Amino acid sequence: MANILSSAVQLYIGGFDLGTSSTKMAVTLAADALDVTAFRDVAESNLGGVRTDSTEWAAWFDDGAASIDTVIGTVLGTLGEVLSFGIGTGVGARAYCGTVFAAKGGIAAEMRGLVRIEGELRPDKGLDSCKGFGSLLVRAAAEYAGATIDDGALSTGTAVFYGNCVSVSGIGASTGNFILRHSSDGTTFSNGPNWSGITGTQGTRIEFTTTLNRYISVSFSTADGTTGTYKAFIAYKRG
């Protein structure tokens, strides 16, 4: 079991930013051993790989703020949302991502007009160990080309792209598009998974069956000519 804590962490669920208000964030990575003697087998043996990963968090909210209802109703009440736990804010920093299949929590305490909400989220089939691009803030008026990660390896199977768009402001009728790009030489890039049609806060998980080359980057584009902005957390896992 590994409990991971950091002073520079980011926690997003389905486009909702829990990191800015949380006073406690932790991710637990674990694979429980299953003792088959509990099922009346004749000899003791263990079956590994039963994942019990989880993310725990706690935060104080103003009792009069609508965000309390958002946290309880949306974050704790919606399954299937994309969960992103980033450790460090630099390009290539470690991230753990998955889709939520179980959530619990609620109001734990009240003090002087503040409400403390605590919750736990469990991902489907464990958390994917990913590399992230940090919290990206991009403008709608121009295409964005982010820094490049040198992975030094090719994918051997299906890669997975994770995204959490946590805020969109000042945009027109157009939508935003984040694209994971890859290259064998760091100069000529091909498009990989395309997260298109972004108009507001939302999360996504996209599988990509084509081999990802050594160098990885992320780009953003939109036909919108305003000065609007998109803020998103982007990460990926190789096959």
Side-chain angles (χ1 to χ4, degrees):
M1 177 182 294
N3 292 312
I4 298 175
L5 298 170
S6 173
S7 59
V9 294
Q10 303 162 89
L11 178 59
Y12 306 108
I13 170 70
F16 190 85
D17 184 359
L18 281 175
T20 56
S21 55
S22 295
T23 56
K24 169 189 174 183
M25 288 186 286
V27 59
T28 299
L29 308 175
D32 275 2
L34 179 63
D35 183 357
V36 297
T37 58
F39 299 97
R40 301 185 183 278
D41 204 347
V42 294
E44 181 178 356
S45 61
N46 291 315
L47 302 176
V50 180
R51 299 300 297 265
T52 59
D53 298 351
S54 66
T55 299
E56 298 178 56
W57 58 274
W60 288 98
F61 292 89
D62 186 337
D63 192 20
S67 58
I68 296 177
D69 293 334
T70 301
V71 172
I72 295 178
T74 302
V75 178
L76 295 178
T78 303
L79 305 182
E81 293 286 4
V82 172
L83 167 68
S84 301
F85 191 102
I87 301 176
T89 57
V91 174
R94 179 64 58 200
Y96 294 93
C97 304
T99 51
V100 176
F101 80 90
K104 65 179 181 179
I107 296 176
E110 296 185 37
M111 181 182 68
R112 296 182 179 179
L114 296 177
V115 175
R116 181 176 175 84
I117 297 177
E118 296 180 354
E120 179 181 359
L121 304 168
R122 290 189 178 273
D124 184 20
K125 300 179 182 179
L127 289 166
D128 281 334
S129 180
C130 304
K131 288 187 178 180
F133 286 89
S135 183
L136 303 177
L137 184 63
V138 295
R139 293 197 174 277
E143 181 170 334
Y144 165 86
T148 299
I149 298 174
D150 181 356
D151 256 357
L154 300 180
S155 294
T156 56
T158 301
V160 184
F161 171 94
Y162 287 98
N164 262 302
C165 183
V166 297
S167 69
V168 176
S169 62
I171 65 170
S174 299
T175 60
N177 305 278
F178 282 97
I179 302 175
L180 194 69
R181 308 173 73 229
H182 60 112
S183 168
S184 59
D185 58 10
T187 301
T188 303
F189 283 82
S190 300
N191 289 342
N194 181 6
W195 182 20
S196 60
I198 306 169
T199 58
T201 56
Q202 61 189 94
T204 191
R205 179 186 186 277
I206 303 172
E207 291 191 357
F208 185 62
T209 56
T210 302
T211 297
L212 280 181
N213 287 307
R214 173 174 177 173
Y215 298 93
I216 307 296
S217 182
V218 63
S219 68
F220 172 85
S221 64
T222 179
D224 196 340
T226 71
T227 57
T229 58
Y230 294 75
K231 183 179 179 182
F233 180 87
I234 304 296
Y236 70 95
K237 171 186 176 294
R238 287 188 177 274

